[in-house]
Amino acid sequence: MSLQKTINGLIRDVPDYPQPGVLFKDITPLLHDAVAFQAVVSAIAAEAGPVDKVAGLEARGFLLAAPVALELGAGLVPVRKSGKLPWETYAETYDLEYGTATIEVHRDAFAPGDRVLIVDDVLATGGTAEAAASLVRQAGAEVAGLSVLMELTFLNGRDRFTDLRIHSLVAV
């Protein structure tokens, strides 16, 4: 079976979560399957190219970014919701498909010139990834690309990025 079919078979749709009208894509069944999880991590890492850091987006992006960083021999940088990091931060506010949010990164997370792969589970409207790319650039680093497990093509998130390499394992 292809990796795309495996991923699609292991992602659960949860209607009206976290609020009415949203169809949540639950990746926990995929994470429970060690073989599929390893295949996803390896596929993301294989497309990354050389990077210095992997930025994982809160919260499910952490679950993918950490093993990808290890496989690439790169550092891991958590991009967190506002108020969750204990040190000085850069912050960026953005629109979600169902509201607004602010994410932050430590000011010392990236060295000038670092090549950074941004990793998340889903590319929806692109707001979170766009905010994360802005944080990377504020720190003087370079966004090497964006890798996601799943792209929700009907939300057109990819359209926000004209100069960024985007890799998605599945598109729905």
Side-chain angles (χ1 to χ4, degrees), residues 5-172:
K5 285 184 181 180
T6 299
I7 292 168
N8 285 328
L10 290 170
I11 292 177
R12 176 175 34 218
D13 287 343
V14 181
D16 298 321
Y17 184 84
Q19 66 185 45
V22 174
L23 181 63
F24 184 80
K25 298 292 188 177
D26 180 11
I27 68 167
T28 58
L30 177 112
L31 299 174
H32 296 165
D33 185 317
V35 173
F37 186 27
Q38 179 61 58
V40 163
V41 168
S42 294
I44 292 171
E47 289 291 322
V51 298
D52 301 295
K53 304 278 176 56
V54 175
L57 306 187
E58 186 159 335
R60 296 178 298 168
F62 296 163
L63 301 171
L64 298 171
V68 168
L70 287 173
E71 192 155 321
L72 292 172
L76 174 69
V77 175
V79 178
R80 304 270 340 246
K81 293 177 183 173
S82 182
K84 299 291 186 180
L85 291 171
W87 193 246
E88 296 172 357
T89 62
Y90 294 111
E92 192 75 26
T93 299
Y94 62 98
D95 292 324
L96 295 165
E97 57 272 25
Y98 49 84
T100 62
T102 301
I103 55 174
E104 297 179 333
V105 67
H106 279 142
R107 286 185 175 260
D108 61 357
F110 306 110
D114 273 352
R115 289 182 42 79
V116 180
L117 175 67
I118 298 170
V119 173
D120 204 2
D121 63 324
V122 174
L123 175 61
T125 64
T128 310
E130 184 177 51
S134 176
L135 291 173
V136 169
R137 292 179 182 120
Q138 283 180 56
E142 173 191 344
V143 180
L146 167 65
S147 289
V148 295
L149 174 64
M150 177 186 329
E151 181 177 351
L152 305 180
T153 56
F154 62 93
L155 292 174
N156 302 313
R158 182 180 288 265
D159 294 348
R160 288 181 182 249
F161 307 98
T162 57
D163 62 343
L164 186 61
R165 186 181 59 80
I166 299 173
H167 174 246
S168 57
L169 296 181
V170 296
V172 294

